[in-house]
Amino acid sequence: RAAPLRPLAARHCPSTVFNLEGNQISISIVCGARPAVTSTPYTVDAFETTGTTTTSGVSTVTHMNGRRLGDCK
């Protein structure tokens, strides 16, 4: 579980929360004065991530999704 957070830790961005329950991953980090929270529900072949970053009191929400397209050829 710690492997995805190593690049963040190298930049001194500690994870304050890493939660894996069922098909949901939640991560909270603080990078300087910028907190970031992500929530990712997933299935066997798809995911959808919502991330929120706050800087100087202004929040930015980012949505990402992906799906499996088929076998590698």
Side-chain angles (χ1 to χ4, degrees), residues 14-48:
S15 170
T16 57
V17 173
F18 182 91
N19 196 15
L20 176 60
E21 288 187 30
N23 69 333
Q24 180 88 18
I25 299 171
S26 301
I27 301 173
S28 295
I29 63 169
V30 177
C31 210
R34 294 178 14 188
V37 178
T38 62
S39 177
T40 305
Y42 63 92
T43 63
V44 172
D45 59 358
F47 72 92
E48 184 172 332

Side-chain angles (χ1 to χ4, degrees), residues 11-14 28-37 52-58 60:
R11 291 183 286 181
H12 306 288
C13 300
S28 295
I29 63 169
V30 177
C31 210
R34 294 178 14 188
V37 178
T52 304
T53 304
T54 304
T55 304
S56 300
V58 178
T60 302

